[in-house]
Amino acid sequence: MTRDVKTLCPYCGVGCGLIATTDGKKILRVRPDPLHPANLGRICQKGATVAQTVNVSTRLRYPMIRETGSTRPQVVPVGQAIDHAATHLRRIIDAHGPQSVAFYLSGQLQTEAQYLAAKFARACLRTPHVDSNSRLCMSSAASGMNLSLGSDGPPTCYADIELADTFLFVGSNAAECHPVTFERVKARIDKNRAECIVVDPRRTLTAEAAHLHIPAKPGTDLALLNGLLHLLRERGRLDRAFVEAHTEGWAELDAMLDQYSPQWVATICSIDESLLQRAADILGQASKLITFWTMGANQSIQGTFNTNAICNLHLALGQIGRPGCGPFSLTGQPNAMGGRDCGYMGHTLPGYRFVADADHRQQMESFWGLSPGHLPSQVGYDAVRMFDALSTGELKAIWIIGSNPAATMPRLSRVRDGLERAELVIVQDAYYPTETSRFAHVLFPGAVNLESEGTYCNSERCVTLMQPVAAPPGDAKPDWWWVRETGRALGFEKGIGFQTAEEIFDEFARSTAGRPNDQSGLYHKLLREKGPQQWPFPLMGKSTARRYQDFQFHRAGGRAKFWARPHLDNPEQPTAQFPLLLTTGRVIGQWHTRTKTGTVTQLNNNHPSPFLQMHPEDATTLGLEDGQRVAISSPRGRAFSQLKLEQSISPGVVFSPIHWNDLWARSASPNEATSDDVDPISKQPNLKCCIVNVTPDECVKKLS
Ligand code: SF4
């Protein structure tokens, strides 16, 4: 007997609904859910093959402990692993205080696990140091929308795509990274219903589909966005009535825009000025404009400013709060939005509250039944500082859930150093080995999302409930379960003793009541019976697909804010020693560090190995050839790859996908070289732009 279960794709932030067929033991296959609003029956190659990633030999099935000094962890009973973790956490907290312990969470966890882990850290252990891999992904979009619109969370929804007549993509290769959403955009383009502009240093699949590709140099998006607004102002295309009625701060921005002449901007961006003029033509004619952006704009020292500039554009054109238009940040991971909702970053608390705000801390103390002043008032370390603090010995322990920072963080040598020095590393993952698991003293086996009940919230603020399709293998358990049990072993019961994911969700949803991301009217039974729902979904009110339709923004006085954000040159500029700019990204068939997609033959056949994309002109200058093994060196470290010469990348720029790391080959990750400079507001690392040199791989030379 087989049965069908509704679930979700575990990969990108599109959040496609899947229907999984199971025989009661195994997941036999998945197909796209025709009724899910994110995909309406569409699916990409990663989602289509997800059933093949569940019952694989690389699943972590049993807990393990590695004694200090040993390199091989040993399988142990569940109780022993939990006791071991709890004993060492207690020892470290007693000796060094709770602030010596950190949690590093993931946008791939269900909201219930994210909420419970962050609550346990702050309310039980009382450490401020809770952060997540969203810091690498969307924190600039979140901080930028907070400053411009008064709240994180995009104003738009996927249904707006079918209403828009103009699309602008900034730093987003959606055709590969958010394929199903891009299919909807492409359908509009193909029917001549919409024009499309893509800003990217590479002529990606997204750029190929667009009417206009602007190959701006990495690190120049802000100059370009300011330049476009300058031209739109010059052409009289601004919505002055909207600016007057619903915004503040225009005068300062207006004055700053004077210097962003098309000639100056074209020079900064290394583009032809005619591209700017053509883009302004298209944007000036737009009646419904959606701007999509993601990591290309976010992973920058000016990531927050980039989001502000995108919001500036929409506010100045009055392109927000109406069907078919608005700034639309695409979320990288399937539940980064849920994590942001429940406060799983160092500076946030549930319900879009902030640690630095004493009122917000007091609200959560009251909600959680804690005494005043119980919650740490210190803003917790962001991801980069967290691993730095392990390296300096300030942090002694880290519990990593559902993430692989030894492959994904910038400047990997520093991250490995931190993990090596830590007294206690707990790694909770569904797969083994990973680049991070070799540092673990305790390994907890997690269930994958197809094996556990819980929710994800996607890029359009849509919350979907997943039902378990099959039982987890061996001793693997839902992520929240390991947190609760370790908490119990440490003597905590009150506040974390939930029996089910449903109970955790109920508390999380109540914590958002009256907040900008109010979803207090949501509960598992409703999601089970009525399907996915978008927030805001207040208990006493109506759900809305679009935000700000009344043009009341979440700022004092209700007005959105223009920010005058000047372009700054990237801190690293090419030199004789490091003449190229390295940028990184994804390919369509692989996901993050390939723990899942690397198990699927079909995906590996499509994308078999790492590569470094380079323009042939640069190869000629450097004396390199297509297919050659090369070393990619920066002031921080050296990665190795295979050269791929293509005209589709701008001269002076090289690109490496992020998916292949140390498990593939030593130093295969571009993050050996990437920069750990961060945006000063969002603390997001500048992963998209660092100086490198590319030379023949000397090891290959010696062997041959
Ligand atoms: Fe999964 Fe994203 Fe592909 Fe949808 S578009 S199937 S969510 S990877």
Side-chain angles (χ1 to χ4, degrees), residues 9 11-12 14-16 43-44 46-47 178-180:
C9 176
Y11 298 122
C12 82
V14 175
C16 294
I43 197 165
C44 80
K46 288 195 295 290
H178 298 88
V180 162

Side-chain angles (χ1 to χ4, degrees), residues 67-108:
E67 296 295 346
T68 305
S70 160
T71 53
R72 292 185 67 84
Q74 302 294 324
V75 170
V76 294
V78 169
Q80 187 180 338
I82 289 171
D83 283 348
H84 189 87
T87 301
H88 285 276
L89 279 170
R90 173 54 63 207
R91 175 183 59 75
I92 289 167
I93 288 170
D94 287 348
H96 305 286
Q99 72 284 355
S100 62
V101 176
F103 286 71
Y104 189 67
L105 310 177
S106 164
Q108 285 155 91

Side-chain angles (χ1 to χ4, degrees), residues 660-680:
W660 288 271
N661 304 292
D662 272 359
L663 291 185
W664 169 265
R666 193 180 63 81
S667 302
S669 169
N671 287 320
E672 301 291 345
T674 50
S675 164
D676 58 357
D677 286 342
V678 298
D679 174 301

Side-chain angles (χ1 to χ4, degrees), residues 21-284:
T21 304
T22 173
D23 60 6
K25 289 189 182 143
K26 288 195 302 297
I27 301 164
L28 302 175
R29 58 189 165 271
V30 298
R31 63 184 191 277
D33 182 350
L35 299 180
H36 196 285
N39 53 322
L40 302 169
R42 297 175 178 88
I43 197 165
C44 80
Q45 55 184 267
K46 288 195 295 290
T49 53
V50 74
Q52 297 170 47
T53 67
V54 178
N55 187 21
V56 291
S57 60
T58 49
R59 283 298 299 274
L60 178 59
R61 289 174 162 78
Y62 300 99
M64 292 198 267
I65 291 175
R66 179 175 65 86
E67 296 295 346
T68 305
S70 160
T71 53
R72 292 185 67 84
Q74 302 294 324
V75 170
V76 294
V78 169
Q80 187 180 338
I82 289 171
D83 283 348
H84 189 87
T87 301
H88 285 276
L89 279 170
R90 173 54 63 207
R91 175 183 59 75
I92 289 167
I93 288 170
D94 287 348
H96 305 286
Q99 72 284 355
S100 62
V101 176
F103 286 71
Y104 189 67
L105 310 177
S106 164
Q108 285 155 91
L109 307 179
Q110 292 166 326
T111 304
E112 292 78 358
Q114 295 165 335
Y115 176 83
L116 192 66
K119 181 182 180 185
F120 170 64
R122 291 192 172 107
C124 297
L125 298 187
R126 302 184 72 190
T127 175
H129 302 305
V130 180
D131 210 50
S132 70
N133 56 12
S134 280
R135 189 66 67 182
L136 277 55
C137 179
M138 299 308 298
S139 60
S140 294
S143 57
M145 285 190 284
N146 261 313
L147 288 166
S148 293
L149 310 176
S151 158
D152 185 10
T156 35
C157 60
Y158 293 141
D160 284 327
I161 294 171
E162 278 78 36
L163 302 172
D165 62 13
T166 310
F167 300 102
L168 170 62
F169 287 83
V170 183
S172 159
N173 179 14
E176 294 204 68
C177 305
H178 298 88
V180 162
T181 296
F182 191 72
E183 263 187 50
R184 292 172 75 161
V185 170
K186 181 84 168 31
R188 296 286 290 169
I189 298 171
D190 290 348
K191 287 180 193 154
N192 289 324
R193 298 274 174 82
E195 297 229 45
C196 182
I197 305 167
V198 172
V199 181
D200 198 305
R202 300 189 302 136
R203 191 168 179 82
T204 58
L205 288 179
T206 314
E208 284 286 343
H211 298 89
L212 181 66
H213 171 216
I214 305 180
K217 195 171 88 173
T220 63
D221 294 325
L222 184 55
L224 185 108
L225 289 160
N226 286 339
L228 289 173
L229 195 48
H230 172 109
L231 280 173
L232 290 161
R233 181 186 67 173
E234 192 172 270
R235 294 166 184 211
R237 307 307 302 184
L238 307 190
D239 186 339
R240 299 279 181 183
F242 183 91
V243 170
E244 180 66 30
H246 304 300
T247 69
E248 61 188 45
W250 171 252
E252 202 187 332
L253 174 60
D254 196 25
M256 189 202 75
L257 290 178
D258 290 348
Q259 65 186 280
Y260 286 84
S261 69
Q263 301 80 14
W264 192 58
V265 170
T267 305
I268 292 173
C269 299
S270 296
I271 55 170
D272 196 297
E273 187 192 322
S274 64
L275 295 175
L276 277 172
Q277 299 285 358
R278 174 81 185 109
D281 289 345
I282 295 172
L283 294 173

